């Protein structure tokens, strides 16, 4: 194989800006889909219980992802020896997001999402504790500022403070643990395989979880969105439920794509684009105006998250570039990356 077959470093450098733009576009569009998903969830929760909506979302996503993975082939797979880790992630996500959406009828969209976006800060803290990732004084200060923002957003001195304010924070903790588990999996799985198995196990757990909550706590009368209900009730608005599932799945795929084609430290700050979109949509649809405490907390959380991303970007310049993964480089039926390396070695 001739040297001219492969792109030169100059061409690779020229491609970098387009990859960065691609990644930023994907994460921005993905967050737009997530905002739409959460707005639909907030509307549907006035008529349907959380458990069936989350189950339906998993079913719709799996119905699309399974044929997609079969078509792509290559590094994608339906069966994996890492299923116990995926099962744990599914349980964490089912628990966390049932708590997250349980707060929707009581809190504004911007308020719930502001507290949830403490998750990147919790991921950084857990990664330092469990994975031994370095955390210097600058990051410690940023984490302290961010968690101060969380406390301000929860507003523990307010008269209206209740257990509801803690639900999105609990979701952020469950979500962060799931993301740390994903880091441990690393490049042993593709993002589609990771997402598929998380959604499958989350769907498996969510209905028994709803049954258990209703068995232990009498919530059906006081909080109808937590009642167990009947799955067939969703049939009346099946088209909206399908839209809910598709919005969540497209958001996930776009976010995964963003982290595949561009540096994580470059893409991560744009996750926070969710917050202004959620604030605007909450105001337009329901007339929700976040409190001053929410805006202060949002500013501190976003500021600390952006600073952490900046520190990561600086640190990444002194590290070797991570290996490319097949799913972000090659279309279906293309030659695997490992085979190309083997061909290169044969030539040399």
């Amino acid at each position: 194989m001739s040297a001219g077959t492969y792109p030169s470093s100059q061409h690779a450098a020229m491609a970098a800006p387009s990859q960065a733009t691609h990644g930023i576009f994907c994460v921005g569009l993905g967050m737009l889909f997530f905002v739409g998903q959460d707005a639909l969830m907030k509307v549907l929760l006035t008529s349907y219980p959380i458990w069936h909506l989350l189950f339906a979302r998993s079913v719709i996503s799996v119905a699309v992802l399974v044929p997609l993975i079969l078509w792509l082939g290559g590094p994608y797979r339906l069966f994996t020896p890492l299923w116990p880790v995926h099962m744990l992630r599914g349980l964490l996500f089912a628990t966390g997001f049932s708590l997250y959406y349980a707060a929707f009828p009581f809190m504004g969209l911007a308020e719930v999402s502001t507290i949830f976006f403490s998750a990147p800060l919790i991921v950084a803290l857990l990664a330092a504790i469990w994975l031994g990732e370095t955390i210097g004084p600058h990051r410690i200060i940023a984490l302290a500022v961010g968690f101060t923002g969380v406390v301000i957003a929860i507003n523990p001195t307010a008269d209206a403070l209740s257990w509801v304010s803690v639900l999105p924070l609990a979701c952020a903790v469950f979500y962060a643990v799931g993301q740390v588990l994903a880091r441990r999996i690393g490049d042993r799985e593709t993002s589609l395989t990771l997402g598929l198995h998380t959604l499958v196990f989350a769907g498996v757990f969510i209905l028994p979880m709803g049954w258990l909550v209703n068995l232990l706590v009498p919530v059906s009368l006081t909080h109808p969105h937590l009642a167990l209900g009947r799955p067939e009730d969703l049939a009346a608005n099946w088209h909206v439920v399908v839209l809910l599932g598709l919005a969540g799945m497209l958001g996930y795929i776009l976010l995964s794509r963003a982290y595949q084609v561009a540096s994580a430290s470059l893409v991560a700050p744009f996750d926070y684009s969710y917050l202004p979109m959620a604030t605007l949509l909450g105001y337009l649809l329901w007339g929700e105006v976040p409190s001053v405490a929410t805006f202060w907390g949002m500013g501190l959380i976003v500021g600390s998250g952006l600073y952490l991303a900046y520190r990561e970007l600086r640190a990444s310049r002194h590290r070797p570039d991570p290996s490319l993964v097949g799913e972000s480089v090659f279309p279906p039926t293309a030659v695997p990356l490992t085979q190309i390396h083997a061909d290169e070695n044969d030539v040399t």
Side-chain angles (χ1 to χ4, degrees):
M1 187 175 293
S2 65
T5 306
Y6 299 99
S8 65
S9 58
Q10 180 180 1
H11 290 159
M14 292 175 63
S18 62
Q19 286 187 332
T21 303
H22 185 181
I24 292 170
F25 173 78
C26 285
V27 74
L29 187 59
M31 287 299 152
L32 183 61
F33 276 111
F34 280 135
V35 171
Q37 170 203 248
D38 288 351
L40 285 173
M41 184 69 79
K42 190 173 177 69
V43 171
L44 289 170
L45 282 174
T46 61
S47 304
Y48 305 107
I50 288 173
W51 323 108
H52 295 152
L53 291 173
L54 290 178
F55 178 76
R57 187 180 70 172
S58 291
V59 169
I60 293 165
S61 299
V62 170
V64 175
L65 287 176
V66 168
L68 180 62
I69 289 175
L70 290 173
W71 175 69
L72 290 171
Y76 305 91
R77 57 186 179 183
L78 292 179
F79 304 102
T80 169
L82 299 176
W83 65 266
V85 184
H86 294 303
M87 182 174 66
L88 180 55
R89 291 188 81 241
L91 177 60
L92 290 168
F93 277 47
T95 305
F97 283 103
S98 60
L99 293 172
Y100 178 73
Y101 290 121
F104 269 35
F106 309 104
M107 299 176 68
L109 190 59
E111 295 169 334
V112 178
S113 55
T114 295
I115 297 173
F116 169 74
F117 265 83
S118 61
L121 308 177
I122 301 173
V123 168
L125 184 62
L126 293 180
I129 296 173
W130 289 351
L131 304 182
E133 295 186 4
T134 304
I135 177 170
H138 291 276
R139 288 189 175 92
I140 292 175
I141 294 173
L143 288 172
V145 171
F147 286 120
T148 300
V150 174
V151 173
I152 293 174
I154 293 176
N155 198 8
T157 60
D159 295 335
L161 177 70
S162 67
W163 58 269
V164 177
S165 304
V166 184
L167 295 181
L169 180 59
C171 175
V173 173
F174 283 112
Y175 176 83
V177 175
Q179 295 302 85
V180 172
L181 288 175
R183 287 195 187 187
R184 292 190 69 91
I185 293 173
D187 58 2
R188 289 180 289 172
E189 297 280 28
T190 65
S191 59
L192 287 184
T193 301
L194 187 69
L196 171 67
H197 287 84
T198 300
L199 288 168
V200 166
F201 283 115
V204 168
F205 284 122
I206 195 65
L207 291 181
M209 191 178 297
W211 175 81
L212 184 61
V213 168
N214 280 264
L215 180 66
L216 298 178
V217 184
V219 295
S220 58
L221 296 178
T222 55
H223 306 298
H225 68 296
L226 298 177
L228 196 56
R230 299 178 303 172
E232 57 268 25
D233 292 341
L234 294 175
N237 282 312
W238 66 268
H239 54 291
V240 183
V241 176
V242 169
L243 191 60
L244 173 75
L246 291 177
M249 185 200 65
L250 288 172
Y252 173 81
I253 291 176
L254 285 165
L255 195 62
S256 298
R257 179 64 179 170
Y259 281 90
Q260 288 169 350
V261 301
S263 166
S265 54
L266 173 67
V267 169
F270 291 91
D271 287 354
Y272 292 101
S273 62
Y274 178 101
L275 292 175
M277 289 190 286
T279 302
L280 178 61
L281 195 62
Y283 175 76
L284 293 176
L285 294 182
W286 300 286
E288 297 173 352
V289 179
S291 65
V292 175
T294 299
F295 277 118
W296 273 106
M298 186 186 300
L300 291 175
I301 292 170
V302 172
S304 61
L306 292 176
Y307 183 73
L308 284 172
Y310 163 73
R311 296 293 301 181
E312 177 61 25
L313 181 60
R314 286 190 57 185
S316 65
R317 292 172 180 169
H318 303 289
R319 293 196 296 259
D321 293 334
S323 300
L324 297 174
V325 293
E327 61 180 300
S328 64
V329 180
F330 299 101
T333 72
V335 180
L337 189 63
T338 52
Q339 181 62 46
I340 290 178
H341 290 326
D343 292 342
E344 287 179 319
N345 292 333
D346 291 342
V347 172
T348 57

